[in-house]
Amino acid sequence: MYKKIVAIIICLLCLFEVQSGNKFYIANQKPLVEQPYTSLPLGSIRPQGMLLEMLSRQRNGLTGCMDSIYSVVCGDRNGWLGGTGDGWERGPYWIDGLLPLAYILDDQTLKERALKWVEWSLNNQREDGNFGPMPLPENYIKLSGVQQELRDDWWPKMVMLKVLQQYYMATEDIRVINFMIRYFKYQHETLPKYPLGHWTFWANRRGSDNLAIVYWLYNVTKERFLLDLGELLHQQTYDWTEVFSSNKIRMLNPYPSLHCVNVAQGLKSPIIYYQRHPDEKYLNAVKEGLSALKDCHGFVNGMFGGDERLHGNDPTQGSELCTAVEMMYSFESILPITGDVYYADYLEKIAYNVLPTQITDDFMYKQYFQQTNQILVSADARNFFNDDNGRLTFGRITGCSCCLTNMHQGWPKFVQNLWYATVDNGLAALVYGASKVTAKVGNGQTVTIIEDTDYPFKESVRFTIHTSEDVRFPLHLRVPLWCKSAHLKVNNEELEMGEDNITVINRRWKSGDTVELVMDMDFRFTRWHENSLGIERGPLVYALKVKEDWRKIEIEGMTDKELWEVYPKSAWNYAILGKELKKGDLNLSVSDTISDYPWNLKNAPIQIRAKALRLPEWRIQNYSAGKVMVPPRVKKDSKNAGSVVEDITLIPYGCTTLRISQFPVIE
């Protein structure tokens, strides 16, 4: 009897337990560690300026028409719509970008496209709680070659869970919660017999995507079995904590057999699990892993050599588009849990350098691999671990088709993570871009903040508060780690800033109040493979401006019938004069007006003039820039091109297609 009374008391206490974290939005609940920041509902943040243009181009480009352009996979025959076609990751990948795009832009046509997929999953859950494409008859499998194990695989269901989570964050449709509870009960019962790696190894490597949704659902429902399921998922997921923290990446020779996209997704794994087990080793593992990747495989643009497997840090090795968008998603997952601005800086570096250059201006073609030193885009064979199917060209089904469908999540999720709700019921701008946010703060008052900025090209970010009544709440602003000096004004009055990289302004705000943050952007000179030089300023990397000749081609036997090659129309083989850098002799020019689409040679808003010498000996090898010369040999003959000092033009990396961004240096 006594035990029953105690149990009843415990249940009652649970019912009346005070919610942890932010009062108004879904935040970690005990025993999960309290998080400093939490996501806002999808649609709370509206892009403006350049970011609005990026999303509009997606809508008018491939994101808005994948079901017609790539109908063989994303059309009505897809298994995720009940058809007999593809039933693996590619359909859910597309919707994982289409759905947030639709709700951020409040575009009804896009919503209808995405909701076809959402409704099919919600309406076709099996009695045991499982979901996804239906099993196919044996005779059909033999005739069609469709692999049933790909339809059964745990991995693509993780992608669709991300879609459903975002749909709930936009609509609060309770069907999603009930659906997930039933599915996770099925997982809890089934995983001991059919673990994550049973059908393919992808789910084993990417189990943290599953775990993140389990913890999110726990924060909504407080269903205790979800914590047990979390332990089971963690046990069956590849041990990324051990890989990142044990120095394996540095020690393995030949190169480790780690797939580039798995590594990008694995980066969040230790910190997702940290929420349940807040041990410092999980926090440390991610930075240790990123440090090892930088040392052994890293590029100035923040990516790492991974043309399928990890492949070293020569700037002509490839980096995959899927790796870029999954790195961004990992940092977007880590940032609100840790509040560590290191990840916000890194997120901006990938978004504002890597992402725009790997997709064409009209968002109709993509590049499966890109090179940090890229002086020729062609279908020729290169020194990649996997070079099948024109992986360096701009096309659609070049390389594997994963990037064609997965790239769509990049910009929408970036916009969704510009702002967060805070643990002290305020708002935080941790990632910068022109936008408007509307959210609850303080005691439940609704405010709107408009962020006006030409960042990442200019140093100033200005916020204007709009509210129907005076309201007290804290506003958190990030000061990037690269910023040595920042200046803050509230209503044009200078405020003294502390030394922390997140400044909190807690005051009673009136409608029309303004905040201006100016982050000084100084040049940073970093060294990479073969002592090559990288030039950075603020969140941007700078690269040589190379004139481009785009040529449309068709190659017999190639899956993709529409390919673009790009040839250089100006010299690329320059060495920077190191002594000029030491004197700070870089001529910086920033346009007064920034185009809403700045990401090409014509619209590049910043130019840097630097002194350089041409290196005739630095030539194309294997259809790529030859090995970076260290030290470059400069001939003294005045008639030789290599002895003539020239002014070269550097522009933001994201504005280039052909480029040198890691330069040889003449000291």
Side-chain angles (χ1 to χ4, degrees):
M1 183 69 179
Y2 173 76
K3 290 182 179 179
K4 287 184 178 180
I5 293 172
V6 171
I8 292 170
I9 292 172
I10 291 173
C11 289
L12 289 172
L13 288 173
C14 289
L15 287 174
F16 292 101
E17 184 178 349
V18 177
Q19 176 174 314
S20 301
N22 187 279
K23 289 181 183 178
F24 313 112
Y25 302 109
I26 299 170
N28 277 357
Q29 301 300 300
K30 295 177 181 178
L32 300 184
V33 67
E34 186 175 74
Q35 62 195 90
Y37 302 105
T38 192
S39 297
L40 293 167
L42 185 59
S44 301
I45 304 164
R46 305 290 188 190
Q48 297 186 334
M50 181 266 291
L51 291 175
L52 177 59
E53 180 66 19
M54 298 308 294
L55 267 58
S56 298
R57 289 182 182 232
Q58 273 198 237
R59 169 175 55 194
N60 299 329
L62 282 173
T63 312
C65 62
M66 284 289 291
D67 46 357
S68 58
I69 293 290
Y70 196 33
S71 59
V72 67
V73 167
C74 295
D76 289 341
R77 285 190 60 248
N78 190 281
W80 288 92
L81 293 174
T84 55
D86 183 81
W88 201 43
E89 65 181 6
R90 290 176 292 178
Y93 264 161
W94 172 43
I95 307 305
D96 192 33
L98 175 65
L99 188 138
L101 179 70
Y103 281 94
I104 290 171
L105 293 180
D106 195 20
D107 186 296
Q108 190 58 34
T109 300
L110 295 187
K111 288 180 186 178
E112 290 172 3
R113 275 196 172 92
L115 289 178
K116 280 175 57 176
W117 298 68
V118 169
E119 290 294 338
W120 191 90
S121 286
L122 291 177
N123 294 330
N124 288 276
Q125 189 171 26
R126 270 96 84 184
E127 287 188 10
D128 61 4
N130 195 8
F131 78 106
M134 299 297 186
L136 296 171
E138 282 295 327
N139 61 338
Y140 182 86
I141 293 173
K142 289 178 182 178
L143 290 171
S144 66
V146 172
Q147 295 174 277
Q148 181 60 45
E149 61 266 26
L150 294 184
R151 287 177 159 238
D152 293 332
D153 190 14
W154 297 108
W155 157 238
K157 297 175 186 182
M158 298 179 196
V159 184
M160 188 54 75
L161 288 171
K162 289 163 60 185
V163 171
L164 294 173
Q165 178 199 33
Q166 292 177 96
Y167 171 65
Y168 181 84
M169 292 292 285
T171 66
E172 295 188 341
D173 188 335
I174 193 63
R175 293 180 301 161
V176 172
I177 304 303
N178 297 329
F179 175 96
M180 286 188 178
I181 289 173
R182 292 197 299 272
Y183 175 65
F184 287 142
K185 285 182 177 178
Y186 167 79
Q187 270 201 315
H188 194 240
E189 294 170 0
T190 308
L191 281 171
K193 184 177 180 181
Y194 299 104
L196 291 180
H198 177 76
W199 284 287
T200 73
F201 86 119
W202 301 104
N204 163 266
R205 298 303 194 266
R206 301 170 176 183
S208 60
D209 286 61
N210 199 146
L211 180 59
I213 305 297
V214 167
Y215 284 162
W216 174 83
L217 185 63
Y218 172 78
N219 292 330
V220 177
T221 67
K222 294 191 180 179
E223 290 272 1
R224 300 292 297 188
F225 87 91
L226 293 169
L227 299 178
D228 296 333
L229 174 59
E231 295 302 312
L232 183 58
L233 287 166
H234 178 72
Q235 291 163 15
Q236 294 187 6
T237 299
Y238 190 68
D239 193 349
W240 290 106
T241 300
E242 195 271 338
V243 169
F244 293 146
S245 60
S246 66
N247 223 17
K248 272 189 177 180
I249 291 173
R250 286 190 179 91
M251 293 169 63
L252 285 178
N253 186 20
Y255 296 126
S257 185
L258 293 172
H259 185 265
C260 54
V261 183
N262 287 343
V263 171
Q265 292 186 250
L267 284 170
K268 64 179 171 291
S269 184
I271 290 179
I272 296 298
Y273 188 61
Y274 165 85
Q275 295 174 98
R276 181 68 177 90
H277 297 273
D279 189 317
E280 288 288 322
K281 72 177 183 180
Y282 298 115
L283 296 178
N284 295 336
V286 182
K287 288 188 177 179
E288 288 170 5
L290 285 167
S291 175
L293 285 169
K294 177 183 177 182
D295 290 348
C296 299
H297 306 277
F299 304 139
V300 66
N301 63 3
M303 299 301 296
F304 49 84
D307 30 51
E308 297 305 337
R309 286 169 51 195
L310 294 187
H311 201 173
N313 56 5
D314 189 302
T316 59
Q317 296 311 142
S319 67
E320 188 179 331
L321 179 54
C322 273
T323 306
V325 295
E326 291 294 356
M327 278 186 81
M328 289 174 62
Y329 182 64
S330 283
F331 296 144
E332 290 157 357
S333 301
I334 291 170
L335 180 57
I337 297 170
T338 64
D340 190 337
V341 301
Y342 170 86
Y343 297 106
D345 289 1
Y346 212 142
L347 171 60
E348 287 185 352
K349 189 169 194 177
I350 303 302
Y352 287 142
N353 293 283
V354 176
L355 189 58
T357 190
Q358 209 155 352
I359 305 170
T360 56
D361 294 357
D362 59 4
F363 216 87
M364 289 300 289
Y365 300 91
K366 62 94 179 76
Q367 195 181 24
Y368 189 80
F369 292 146
Q370 68 167 281
Q371 296 170 305
T372 309
N373 281 1
Q374 181 169 281
I375 49 82
L376 172 64
V377 173
S378 68
D380 300 295
R382 288 172 173 80
N383 184 37
F384 299 152
F385 273 126
N386 193 330
D387 196 37
D388 296 337
N389 205 26
R391 295 181 179 230
L392 201 66
T393 57
F394 283 88
R396 289 172 183 161
I397 320 175
T398 52
C400 299
S401 53
C402 54
C403 291
L404 174 63
T405 49
N406 195 19
M407 66 181 185
H408 308 279
Q409 69 168 311
W411 286 115
K413 290 183 182 178
F414 182 75
V415 168
Q416 179 59 19
N417 285 274
L418 296 174
W419 290 88
Y420 296 96
T422 69
V423 70
D424 50 4
N425 301 314
L427 284 171
L430 299 187
V431 179
Y432 293 124
S435 58
K436 178 173 74 171
V437 61
T438 300
K440 292 181 179 180
V441 296
N443 294 315
Q445 299 94 331
T446 298
V447 300
T448 295
I449 302 178
I450 295 175
E451 178 178 353
D452 290 310
T453 184
D454 283 321
Y455 189 91
F457 306 105
K458 294 188 178 180
E459 301 169 329
S460 174
V461 184
R462 183 179 178 85
F463 305 92
T464 305
I465 317 301
H466 296 275
T467 175
S468 60
E469 58 180 320
D470 294 357
V471 54
R472 175 175 288 279
F473 69 91
L475 177 63
H476 296 220
L477 302 177
R478 157 179 151 260
V479 178
L481 295 173
W482 47 256
C483 179
K484 294 180 180 178
S485 178
H487 314 276
L488 182 67
K489 291 182 179 179
V490 175
N491 295 332
N492 294 319
E493 292 186 9
E494 190 100 24
L495 288 189
E496 186 175 341
M497 299 181 66
E499 296 183 0
D500 292 340
N501 282 95
I502 293 181
T503 290
V504 180
I505 311 168
N506 195 346
R507 56 172 282 157
R508 179 171 291 278
W509 300 92
K510 299 178 181 295
S511 195
D513 281 350
T514 61
V515 177
E516 184 177 18
L517 177 66
V518 178
M519 297 161 282
D520 292 348
M521 295 180 179
D522 299 319
F523 283 109
R524 305 187 304 283
F525 305 113
T526 51
R527 295 291 184 155
W528 302 87
H529 177 73
E530 296 285 21
N531 208 33
S532 58
L533 174 75
I535 299 176
E536 304 177 59
R537 179 179 171 272
L540 298 182
V541 175
Y542 287 84
L544 178 69
K545 181 179 181 180
V546 180
K547 294 179 182 178
E548 305 163 359
D549 177 15
W550 286 71
R551 304 178 188 177
K552 193 172 185 178
I553 64 166
E554 184 173 330
I555 298 177
E556 186 176 350
M558 192 78 77
T559 306
D560 204 328
K561 299 304 180 185
E562 293 185 51
L563 296 175
W564 289 90
E565 295 183 327
V566 189
Y567 288 77
K569 292 175 62 179
S570 60
W572 57 267
N573 50 346
Y574 287 100
I576 299 282
L577 296 186
K579 63 181 180 180
E580 302 297 330
L581 297 182
K582 291 174 184 176
K583 293 191 301 185
D585 192 16
L586 288 177
N587 189 335
L588 174 72
S589 174
V590 183
S591 300
D592 292 334
T593 302
I594 309 291
S595 168
D596 281 346
Y597 189 81
W599 304 115
N600 55 34
L601 297 185
K602 179 182 176 182
N603 295 337
I606 300 178
Q607 293 194 3
I608 296 171
R609 304 289 286 179
K611 302 293 184 182
L613 290 176
R614 182 105 175 262
L615 300 177
E617 300 89 351
W618 192 19
R619 301 185 181 96
I620 292 178
Q621 296 176 9
N622 196 26
Y623 305 103
S624 297
K627 196 173 186 66
V628 173
M629 301 179 70
V630 52
R633 292 184 298 157
V634 182
K635 297 181 180 179
K636 301 304 181 183
D637 182 356
S638 62
K639 295 179 181 179
N640 185 282
S643 65
V644 179
V645 176
E646 299 182 46
D647 282 332
I648 60 171
T649 301
L650 311 181
I651 59 176
Y653 184 103
C655 302
T656 67
T657 301
L658 304 179
R659 69 188 78 87
I660 295 293
S661 62
Q662 292 181 207
F663 292 88
V665 179
I666 297 174
E667 300 293 354

